[in-house]
Structure formats: C-alpha cells, structure tokens
C-alpha cells in the first residue's frame, strides 16, 4: 500500500506536483531504490537488494510502480544494496527505459554481480536472475563521466564525484527547471585512495535526497581509527590468533589493504605473519582500479607514477581455501562484509570458539545480519547448518565505512541549502534523530526548510508553481518589443523550454523543416466564368485578376489566398496553400460555386443555338434554363 505525505503548500495544477517514493531504503538501510516523478517524467534512482534478506523478499517494492513508466534509471555505485536488483528489473519486468552509471561502476558491476549469483545461498527457484540475464542487462547499460550533462527526453542529469567507492556518483537531475540532487552513498573525507565528495557548484538545488546512514553519530578522527585498527590487528596476531576482517570485496577492502601493507612494511617483526585477501573477484577487479587511477586522489596518482600502489608486497591473494594453511596466526580479509554467507561466514564459524582469535568489523552492518548480531557479543551463535557454537573470539567494531557522519552530512546539507530535504538510507531511529537535530538547528536560524523521512512506498509530494516564460530568438529578437506590441511567431516547446521564433528560423534554431501543402480541388461548374467573378466580388469585394494562360483560360485570386481557375467547359479548379485561415477562405469560395450551381436563377452556358441576341459586358451566349424564353440581366 502506498501512502502520501504532502508539503504544506497550496496545490494548483496537478502537473506541478513532484512525487518522490522510496521503494527501498525508506527508514531502512539496504535495497536503495527511489522513484522520482515530475511533469510526466519518471526517474528511478538506484536498484539494490537488501543484504539481510534473500531471494525476492530482498528486492525493492517494485509492485508499487509500473516499470514500463520509468524513463531513466540511474545507478550511483556498484555495491549490491544499490545495484544488485538491476538485472531483475531490466530482464524480468516491463521496464524499457535507459540505464546509466559511471565507467568504473559498469566495469566492476558485471564481476561483482556474477560473484553474487554464484555465492547466493538460495535454491534455483528463488534465484533473482541467472548469468545469461545478467549479461543481457549488462549490454543495456550506458556510461557517463563526471560532469557530463545528459539529456534524455527533457530529463537532464549530471554525475558528480561522491567519494565512497571508485566510480561512485551523486546525480543532479533537472526536469522543467527544477533541480534535484540525489547523493546516494557519499563520503566527504578523503582517504588513502579516494577523493572526498564534491558539491555541484553554481547550482541552486530545489530538492536534496540525502543518505542518513549514521544519523547523529560522529566518526572518530581518521588517524585515531587507523591507529586503533592496526593496534588491534597487531594484538590478535601477537597472541597467536587469527584476525578475521569481513569486508565487501571492493571499496572499503582496498583502503584496508593499503593500510595493512603500509603497517607491515613499517613493522619487520610481523613479516613472518601472513596477510591474506581471499577474493579472486578483487584480483580481477584490481585492473579496473589501475585503469581508473585518474579518478582517485592526488596522493595515489603521485604514488602510481613511481610504482603501482595496488601491487602489495606483504599481502597474498588466496584463489581458494585449498591453498590456505590454517596452522598459525594470520590476518584474513574475506567477503561478504556482514557475514551473511560465503568465505567470511565459513571462517567465522571455524574460528569463533577460540579466544585467541579476533573479529574486526570495519563497515556498517545492517539489521538482521550476523555481523550486526555479534556486535552485541552474544554467548552463542547459530551456524548456517543450524548448530549452536560458543562465541569466545574477541569482537571489535572500528568503522572505516565510507559514509558521512553527522558533522559532514549536516555541513553538506547546509552548503546545498535546498528548501526540501528528503532523508533516506537510514534506520528509523537514526533518521528520526537526524531530522530532529537538523530541524532544531534551522529553527534557531529561522530558516524555513522542510525535512521528510518517508518509509518504503510512502510518497512525498512537493508543489512547484511553474511559470511559463518564452524567449524570442532569431529574427524576432533583432529588436526589443515595445509595450503592448503584438508579437507573432511560432511557439516551440522542447524539453520544457518555450521559444518564439519566426517561421523562417525554425530549421536553424529548432531543427524543424517547414513544408507548404498546396491544396487543389476540381469542382463541377456549368455557368460562365464571368458570372463566377461577379458572385466572388459580391462576397469578397475586390479580387485579383491573374489573366489568361496559354490556353486562354482565366484565373483570379481571392483574398490573396485562393486561386480560382477555369479548367474546362464544365469545371473550375481551386488552389491554395493549406492552413487554418486559407482553408476557411477556400470553403467560402467553394460555397459560392456550389450556390451558383444549385440556384435556378443562375444562367448556364448555352450548348445550342438560340433565337435572339443582345450584348453583355461579361456574358456572351447565355440562355435561361427555366423558363426558356425570358432573358436574365446580371
């Protein structure tokens, strides 16, 4: 069921209503997917799955929309909770729109989702899509660069660097002059390899759709976090334990790898302790990181000029567990990051009963995942096979999640300064606290900013009073019009922009070619042409004589519009350039001709000799049709 939450504003034309509806990530974290509707255009923002649920239950609420109505689908980055629902949507629904993402996102998307299909712990009947459907989806994806403005049937959008992961973008969307900024997941903190998110410059945003993952929490300073992280890892391996780092295969993992490689290089005593990265997927995708090094920060680009920073000296890639000798202390990075399934879950269940071992959770954990549960340090955990195991290993949480905290998020919201803010991608409590904090701040400043926290399928309606302004270009713009001057031209509407121009400028400024349609109608007529001219003068006043052609046939022009020509003894021809005004004149001329034809008083051309004669200026050889012996004067 869909609910609607309206801004407290007067509503005029229903076409001026904008609707924003979360199909996922509304008062939750996971399955990001939001529908934006305005002026008959529909945009879908992200299309993810929920990491805490499996099969079709993890999808966004697609049943609340008509997929065929979606014009454009924008994917902000490659993480599963923002992109993994895309193949299902493109291949198993009626969606026929266009899909856009950045180049690195598309490059990693295919590998990441292929791996997701292989490790999904569901039966074949519950699979959302297979490899062939994933491949078909991949072919439909179009790529965009940062700052490249696109225009799809009046929907303008531009991608901006969002930090977070390689290729992550926030999208500025413009429809009919109204600008909407969707942040997706973003980070305002530069790390070892990524730049901080940027804010679109020289743009007045009307609506901000913003993540609220961390609510009012503030991150620990990065230097302190790194020191605490490396210290914990050091402590675990020094006591002879195995240190498990559950991570997503790409994104946060590359940051931790750079950190560990640097720390191991600075501590020779750790050289004998192996650091493993168990992800064949990450090794495949590392070439993408090397390819798009120009999209990373200055520090990593400078380092890359000397040597490849992603070729690690102290870290080994594990292709499979057969190569792993589980006999002593080690550091193991394995995916997925929330211990739902896969290798990280397998190793956790193997090592959790030994108190020498340690688990370090370094990213955000969604509700209903094992990683979220063990952060509360329960006495026991349940394995995937249903067995109960004692939890004796140490559990620590040190966040390197590339999401904004309250300080960064509120500062960004201030900078954007949009009158409407819609918070998404946050648990209900965290989102509510963030809204309260922002509202208190803006009330103190006496700023009138509307903040919304919609649940899934709950629609936020915003009213924008549209003013239709038309500008003149071409010949019509040569001189400034005077007051009360009548302006006549062709009104051209394209992508919600109104332009008035002279018809001669249509091809140059609107790409339109003009065509004149000449109408020609042959009409039965049996009286003299002189009689017809008489009646046309009576009806229209002065008519223009066009003379005779080589066959001595007369023609005249009525209202400088319709040409009337002799065709033969029994017909006349009407010719005119077709338009609404000319067509009415032609209809009037035709009515005159038909009236002459049907009137008993009309004199017809004589087809036989007659018994009397007299002279007329315009008529020769006329004979009355009824009665036979009377003359008729015109």
């Amino acid at each position: 069921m869909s609910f609607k939450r309206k801004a407290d504003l007067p509503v005029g034309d229903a076409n001026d209503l904008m609707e924003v509806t979360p199909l996922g990530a509304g008062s939750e974290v996971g399955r990001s997917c939001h529908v934006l509707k305005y002026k008959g255009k529909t945009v879908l923002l992200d299309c993810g799955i929920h990491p805490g649920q499996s099969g079709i239950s993890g999808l966004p609420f697609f049943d609340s929309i008509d997929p065929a109505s979606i014009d454009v689908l924008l994917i902000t980055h490659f993480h599963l909770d923002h992109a993994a629902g895309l193949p299902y949507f493109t291949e198993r629904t009626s969606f026929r729109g266009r899909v856009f993402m950045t180049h690195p996102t598309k490059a990693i998307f295919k590998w990441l989702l292929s791996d997701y299909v292989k490790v999904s712990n569901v039966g074949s009947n519950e699979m959302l899509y297979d490899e062939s459907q994933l491949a078909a989806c991949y072919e439909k994806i179009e790529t965009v660069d940062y700052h490249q403005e696109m225009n799809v049937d009046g929907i303008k959008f531009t991608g901006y660097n969002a930090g977070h992961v390689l290729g992550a973008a926030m999208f500025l969307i413009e429809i009919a002059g109204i600008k909407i900024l969707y942040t997706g997941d973003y980070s305002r903190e530069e790390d070892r390899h990524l730049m901080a998110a940027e804010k679109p410059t020289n743009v007045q945003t009307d609506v901000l759709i913003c993540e609220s993952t961390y609510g009012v929490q503030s991150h620990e300073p990065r230097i302190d976090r790194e020191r605490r992280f490396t210290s914990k890892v050091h402590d675990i391996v020094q006591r002879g334990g195995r240190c498990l780092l559950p991570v997503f295969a790409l994104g946060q993992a590359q940051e931790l790898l750079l950190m560990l490689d640097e720390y191991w290089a600075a501590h020779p005593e750790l050289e004998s302790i192996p650091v493993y990265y168990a992800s064949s997927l990450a090794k495949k995708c590392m070439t993408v990181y090397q390819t798009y090094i120009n999209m990373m920060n200055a520090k990593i680009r400078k380092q890359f000029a000397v040597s490849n920073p992603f070729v690690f000296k102290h870290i080994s890639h594990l292709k499979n567990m057969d190569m792993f000798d589980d006999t002593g202390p080690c550091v193991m990075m394995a995916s997925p990051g929330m211990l739902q399934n896969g290798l990280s879950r397998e190793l956790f269940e193997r090592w959790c009963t030994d108190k020498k071992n340690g688990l370090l959770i370094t990213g955000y954990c969604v509700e209903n995942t094992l990683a979220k549960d063990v952060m509360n340090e329960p006495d026991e955990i349940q394995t995937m096979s249903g067995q109960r195991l004692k939890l004796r290993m140490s559990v620590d949480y040190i966040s390197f999640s590339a999401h904004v905290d309250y300080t960064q998020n509120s500062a960004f919201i201030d900078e954007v300064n949009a009158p409407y803010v819609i918070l998404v991608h946050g648990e209900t409590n965290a989102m509510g606290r963030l809204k309260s904090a922002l509202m208190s701040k803006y009330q103190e400043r006496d700023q009138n900013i509307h903040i919304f926290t919609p649940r899934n399928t709950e629609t936020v309606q915003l009213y924008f009073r549209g003013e239709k302004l038309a500008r003149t270009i071409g010949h019509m713009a040569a001189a400034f019009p005077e007051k009360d001057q009548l302006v006549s031209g062709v009104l051209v509407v394209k992508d919600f922009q109104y332009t008035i121009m002279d018809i001669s400028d249509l091809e140059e400024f609107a790409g339109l070619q003009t065509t004149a349609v000449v109408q020609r109608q042959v009409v039965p007529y049996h009286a003299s042409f002189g009689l017809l001219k008489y009646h046309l003068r009576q009806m229209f006043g002065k008519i223009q004589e066009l003379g005779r052609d080589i066959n001595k046939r007369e023609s005249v022009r009525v209202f400088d519009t319709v040409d009337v020509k002799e065709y033969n003894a029994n017909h006349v021809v009407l010719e005119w350039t077709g338009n609404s005004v000319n067509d009415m004149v032609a209809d009037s001329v035709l009515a005159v001709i038909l009236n002459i034809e049907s009137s008993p008083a009309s004199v017809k051309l004589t087809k036989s000799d007659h018994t009397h004669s007299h002279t007329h200026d315009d008529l020769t050889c006329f004979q009355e049709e009824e009665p036979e012996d009377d003359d008729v004067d015109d």
Side-chain angles (χ1 to χ4, degrees):
M1 182 177 180
S2 180
F3 301 91
K4 294 192 176 180
R5 179 181 295 176
K6 298 183 181 180
D8 188 19
L9 291 169
V11 177
D13 187 354
N15 201 38
D16 292 333
L17 272 179
M18 176 183 291
E19 295 188 344
V20 180
T21 309
L23 303 182
S27 293
E28 68 173 2
V29 176
R31 60 178 163 197
S32 285
C33 188
H34 313 282
V35 181
L36 168 65
K37 293 182 180 180
Y38 187 53
K39 295 289 187 183
K41 304 295 182 182
T42 307
V43 181
L44 195 65
L45 304 169
D46 280 330
C47 191
I49 59 166
H50 198 294
Q53 301 179 34
S54 61
I56 203 163
S57 62
L59 287 171
F61 292 89
F62 293 141
D63 54 341
S64 297
I65 60 167
D66 175 13
S69 69
I70 305 296
D71 300 299
V72 171
L73 200 164
L74 303 176
I75 300 292
T76 57
H77 63 286
F78 54 70
H79 277 158
L80 298 181
D81 62 325
H82 289 258
L86 181 61
Y88 180 92
F89 195 70
T90 61
E91 305 309 309
R92 298 186 63 176
T93 73
S94 57
F95 170 72
R96 294 296 178 269
R98 296 172 68 181
V99 183
F100 295 90
M101 59 181 68
T102 64
H103 292 271
T105 301
K106 182 179 180 181
I108 295 172
F109 170 88
K110 185 177 182 181
W111 296 111
L112 198 64
L113 266 66
S114 178
D115 185 66
Y116 164 74
V117 169
K118 291 172 185 173
V119 303
S120 292
N121 188 36
V122 295
S124 58
N125 293 335
E126 295 183 59
M127 288 294 293
L128 298 178
Y129 43 84
D130 56 27
E131 287 280 0
S132 64
Q133 290 169 322
L134 173 58
C137 167
Y138 186 77
E139 294 302 317
K140 296 173 182 174
I141 297 170
E142 301 176 59
T143 52
V144 292
D145 292 316
Y146 291 149
H147 308 137
Q148 177 185 357
E149 183 177 296
M150 300 292 293
N151 189 332
V152 179
D153 297 329
I155 303 170
K156 298 178 183 178
F157 60 92
T158 307
Y160 292 87
N161 172 40
H164 191 62
V165 293
L166 176 65
M170 56 177 69
F171 285 103
L172 179 68
I173 302 144
E174 181 180 345
I175 303 174
I178 301 301
K179 296 178 176 65
I180 307 98
L181 179 62
Y182 173 55
T183 65
D185 291 354
Y186 77 110
S187 172
R188 293 282 276 174
E189 182 179 58
E190 184 168 306
D191 59 23
R192 272 177 160 71
H193 71 297
L194 292 176
M195 293 181 283
E198 60 181 325
K199 182 188 84 70
T201 55
N202 302 319
V203 172
Q204 178 52 56
T205 302
D206 299 289
V207 182
L208 174 63
I209 305 174
C210 183
E211 73 148 295
S212 54
T213 313
Y214 280 96
V216 294
Q217 295 181 46
S218 291
H219 294 323
E220 184 183 359
R222 185 169 189 86
I223 295 175
D224 294 344
R225 272 181 287 158
E226 290 189 7
R227 187 183 301 115
R228 196 156 62 91
F229 169 73
T230 52
S231 176
K232 282 288 183 186
V233 173
H234 199 141
D235 289 347
I236 293 169
V237 296
Q238 202 168 39
R239 68 184 184 226
R242 298 158 180 84
C243 179
L244 176 61
L245 300 172
V247 293
F248 290 108
L250 296 156
Q252 170 201 40
Q254 280 61 44
E255 183 72 5
L256 296 178
L257 288 171
L258 289 166
M259 207 181 301
L260 287 172
D261 200 51
E262 182 181 301
Y263 187 78
W264 248 244
H267 294 78
E269 71 275 15
L270 297 175
E271 197 167 317
S272 61
I273 297 175
V275 180
Y276 298 110
Y277 187 23
S279 174
S280 58
L281 170 66
K283 192 168 185 180
K284 290 176 187 173
C285 295
M286 203 57 73
T287 56
V288 178
Y289 274 71
Q290 295 166 19
T291 302
Y292 294 101
I293 199 80
N294 63 307
M295 298 179 77
M296 299 182 196
N297 60 30
K299 179 182 177 182
I300 205 82
R301 291 200 303 271
K302 184 177 180 181
Q303 192 176 341
F304 189 78
V306 179
S307 63
N308 189 343
F310 293 106
V311 175
F312 303 109
K313 296 177 182 177
H314 302 280
I315 295 165
S316 305
H317 284 276
L318 275 182
K319 292 183 179 179
N320 54 65
M321 289 303 292
D322 296 336
M323 301 173 62
F324 176 49
D325 181 18
D326 189 9
T327 56
C330 68
V331 179
M332 176 70 76
M333 290 178 63
S335 60
M338 299 187 200
L339 301 172
Q340 311 98 294
N341 49 40
L343 182 57
S344 64
R345 177 66 172 263
E346 179 187 332
L347 291 172
F348 173 73
E349 292 178 2
R350 185 191 298 186
W351 293 343
C352 69
T353 56
D354 190 341
K355 64 181 181 181
K356 289 189 298 184
N357 300 331
L359 173 69
L360 276 181
I361 297 173
T362 57
Y364 184 85
C365 298
V366 174
E367 296 290 342
N368 300 319
T369 59
L370 180 60
K372 184 72 171 180
D373 294 339
V374 300
M375 284 169 61
N376 297 321
E377 299 189 38
D379 294 330
E380 293 182 336
I381 58 103
Q382 183 172 318
T383 67
M384 295 184 72
S385 62
Q387 183 183 357
R388 306 294 299 184
L389 294 175
K390 291 286 185 182
L391 179 60
R392 296 193 179 95
M393 72 190 308
S394 62
V395 178
D396 292 280
Y397 175 63
I398 305 172
S399 176
F400 287 95
S401 178
H403 292 270
V404 284
D405 64 2
Y406 172 71
T407 304
Q408 298 159 352
N409 206 12
S410 60
F412 184 78
I413 293 170
D414 283 349
E415 287 179 40
V416 173
N417 195 30
Y420 300 103
V421 178
I422 300 174
L423 300 177
V424 297
H425 199 281
E427 301 295 346
T428 304
N429 292 336
M431 191 182 288
R433 285 193 288 268
L434 175 59
K435 178 181 177 180
S436 297
L438 292 173
M439 291 295 289
S440 298
K441 181 172 70 171
Y442 293 129
Q443 284 171 2
E444 289 175 6
R445 298 179 183 176
D446 201 25
Q447 282 183 269
N448 187 25
I449 292 182
H450 302 267
I451 302 175
F452 303 90
T453 56
R455 300 185 301 274
N456 286 336
T457 72
E458 183 180 69
T459 299
V460 174
Q461 291 187 327
L462 306 173
Y463 176 64
F464 294 94
R465 186 177 292 107
E467 292 186 4
K468 294 182 175 64
L469 300 175
R471 60 191 180 97
T472 57
I473 58 173
H475 290 91
M476 296 196 66
F480 194 83
E482 298 178 2
K483 185 179 180 181
D484 298 327
Q485 177 185 342
L486 180 65
V487 177
S488 177
V490 179
L491 179 65
V492 178
V493 183
K494 183 180 180 183
D495 299 339
F496 306 105
Q497 301 293 319
Y498 295 80
T499 309
I500 302 175
M501 64 186 75
D502 188 82
I503 193 169
S504 62
D505 291 324
L506 281 174
E507 185 170 1
E508 180 179 355
F509 293 105
L512 300 174
Q513 293 184 337
T514 57
T515 302
V517 179
V518 177
Q519 305 268 30
R520 189 170 187 268
Q521 189 169 2
V522 179
V523 183
Y525 178 72
H526 297 88
S528 75
F529 199 76
L531 179 62
L532 176 57
K533 289 194 293 182
Y534 170 80
H535 280 283
L536 291 175
R537 288 192 185 99
Q538 293 295 309
M539 174 64 73
F540 300 105
K542 185 178 179 181
I543 61 175
Q544 182 182 354
E545 300 270 0
L546 299 179
R548 297 176 181 268
D549 63 12
I550 57 173
N551 296 318
K552 298 185 178 180
R553 294 170 181 166
E554 278 193 88
S555 60
V556 295
R557 182 167 292 162
V558 179
F559 274 0
D560 200 28
T561 296
V562 180
D563 291 351
V564 185
K565 304 177 183 179
E566 287 186 288
Y567 186 63
N568 56 35
N570 299 318
H571 296 85
V572 291
V573 175
L574 275 62
E575 286 187 1
W576 71 97
T577 301
N579 62 44
S580 57
V581 175
N582 294 359
D583 288 349
M584 286 193 293
V585 176
D587 287 344
S588 300
V589 173
L590 180 62
V592 170
I593 296 171
L594 295 177
N595 187 57
I596 296 172
E597 277 290 285
S598 61
S599 173
S602 296
V603 177
K604 310 294 179 170
L605 282 173
T606 304
K607 294 187 179 180
S608 60
D609 293 338
H610 51 80
T611 58
H612 66 280
S613 65
H614 54 262
T615 303
H616 296 276
D617 291 339
D618 293 330
L619 305 178
T620 58
C621 298
F622 284 86
Q623 185 176 32
E624 185 186 28
E625 193 173 53
E626 288 184 9
E628 200 168 276
D629 294 327
D630 291 339
D631 288 342
V632 176
D633 289 331
D634 290 325

